[in-house]
Amino acid sequence: MGTAMTYAVIAGSGSFLPERVVSNDELAAELATRNISTSDEWIVERTGIRQRHLAERGVTTSQLATEAARHALDDAGVQPSDVDLIIVATSTPDYVFPSTACLVQANLGAKGGAAFDVQAVCSGFVYALSTADAFIRAGRARCALVIGAEVFSRILDWNDRGTCVLFGDGAGAVVLKASDQPGILAAQLHADGAQTKILCAAGNVAYGDVTGDPFLRMDGQAVFKQAVTVLDRSARDVCAEAGIEIADLDWLVPHQANVRILNFLARKLHVPTEKIVITVDSHANTSAASVPLALDVARRDGRIKPGQLVLMQGVGGGFTWGSVLARM
């Protein structure tokens, strides 16, 4: 008798957004006081973003992550004591160390299991989900909490209209449990470190001072070109690995960077836009939080149903990208 295969299934999801909602008009008015001109029309036309949630000063990534985690645990009907692995994907950790995951673990009162952060910027959640899947398949964990959480407003140059209008803060989480039924069907992660310069926040703290540039910098055109190329190929590769056609997908939950990228991707993959979960209009780009936030929105409003095939994709600084295919 062969031993039964262990798979990882998504048992629940949750999200948390800071209370403060900032519309494009409000942001434009704020920037105008510093002689920086932008408008709702300019932002919507280029990005599809209409508003974003911004954390108040002093609110930390671990606080947002903890709230999202609590909602996901409730949704899955799981106690914190059941969790034996916590992975937080973030580019805006509370500290150099301990990891944000350890802080979340303390907040939840879930001692003993492994806890660590993953840093792959906007691909972070897909990287973290794939990592947790590997732990569960290997028998190293039974119940994992996978969280994407960011306070990107901390690393934005609010004098650069090309980047400051694009991002928001928030957190999304899923509970991944061991099962004898396939849940995560396929996953692929990639990176090209030679593309570092097109999207980075290259500052650091050394010897008590900030060294380098502490703000996010981006070559928008280069990122756009890279993103649509790698997401298209990644979607095809992961579906091929699972032996399914792109047409069989029920939902695409891509990283929410820019509505133009999402529309372009839909055309390249011949996926109708109705099958794409889009939250960038209301959340803006929340980096590692964007995929789990979008997934949670679509699960809670009833669009994503049990048994459906969902492709989650990330693409971000590093340059990193990846896809995870799941049966819900």
Side-chain angles (χ1 to χ4, degrees):
M1 285 274 297
T3 53
M5 281 285 288
T6 302
Y7 301 98
V9 296
I10 292 173
S13 64
S15 50
F16 188 76
L17 292 155
E19 251 173 68
R20 185 180 169 216
V21 177
V22 178
S23 69
N24 289 344
D25 285 332
E26 196 181 328
L27 187 57
E30 205 175 302
L31 293 176
T33 64
R34 298 203 291 281
N35 296 321
I36 300 159
S37 111
T38 190
S39 67
D40 175 58
E41 192 183 21
W42 189 87
I43 298 168
V44 171
E45 189 190 315
R46 283 163 180 76
T47 67
I49 296 165
R50 295 181 182 277
Q51 62 173 48
R52 71 283 297 137
H53 291 252
L54 296 177
E56 300 295 342
R57 282 199 172 212
V59 170
T60 63
T61 297
S62 66
Q63 287 171 320
L64 301 183
T66 300
E67 292 306 317
R70 287 194 172 117
H71 292 150
L73 291 170
D74 285 349
D75 186 45
V78 163
Q79 296 302 313
S81 54
D82 299 329
V83 174
D84 53 10
L85 172 64
I86 300 175
I87 307 179
V88 174
T90 187
S91 299
T92 51
D94 290 20
Y95 306 125
V96 173
F97 65 82
S99 69
T100 305
C102 283
L103 301 174
V104 170
Q105 190 195 53
N107 291 344
L108 294 174
K111 280 191 182 119
F116 57 89
D117 290 357
V118 161
Q119 178 20 325
V121 199
C122 303
S123 310
F125 178 76
V126 167
Y127 266 63
L129 190 61
S130 183
T131 303
D133 172 56
F135 266 73
I136 288 173
R137 281 174 181 257
R140 305 275 182 208
R142 299 281 306 163
C143 182
L145 195 48
V146 184
I147 308 166
E150 304 283 13
V151 183
F152 248 55
S153 53
R154 279 179 19 209
I155 60 168
L156 298 178
D157 179 353
W158 291 98
N159 294 312
D160 174 11
R161 74 164 185 177
T163 55
C164 76
V165 302
L166 301 177
F167 295 91
D169 302 330
V174 300
V175 172
L176 214 54
K177 289 178 83 171
S179 169
D180 55 2
Q181 296 301 311
I184 306 281
L185 303 178
Q188 292 191 8
L189 306 176
H190 299 282
D192 177 2
Q195 305 276 350
T196 297
K197 291 280 188 287
I198 65 175
L199 179 55
C200 60
N204 210 324
V205 175
Y207 312 106
D209 295 314
V210 173
T211 62
D213 183 348
F215 296 122
L216 178 149
R217 303 294 178 202
M218 179 172 77
D219 175 345
Q221 288 303 108
V223 169
F224 189 100
K225 275 190 359 209
Q226 231 357 60
V228 291
T229 304
V230 299
L231 289 175
D232 172 47
R233 190 179 330 130
S234 177
R236 293 174 195 283
D237 289 351
V238 165
C239 286
E241 183 190 318
I244 70 148
E245 300 294 321
I246 298 260
D248 296 335
L249 293 172
D250 292 296
W251 295 101
L252 207 54
V253 184
H255 170 52
Q256 306 287 318
N258 180 316
V259 84
R260 283 179 168 182
I261 291 176
L262 304 186
N263 290 336
F264 204 88
L265 182 63
R267 282 203 301 278
K268 285 189 88 158
L269 292 172
H270 305 293
V271 170
T273 43
E274 308 76 85
K275 280 187 170 187
I276 300 192
V277 177
I278 298 178
T279 52
V280 69
D281 53 331
S282 53
H283 296 165
N285 180 346
T286 53
S287 189
S290 86
V291 171
L293 274 170
L295 181 76
D296 187 53
V297 164
R299 281 185 78 245
R300 286 178 189 266
D301 68 20
R303 273 180 289 172
I304 293 180
K305 296 175 172 62
Q308 289 188 327
L309 281 171
V310 176
L311 182 69
M312 292 165 273
Q313 294 194 284
V315 59
F319 200 81
T320 60
W321 66 96
S323 300
V324 175
L325 178 66
R327 190 172 289 289
M328 302 304 290

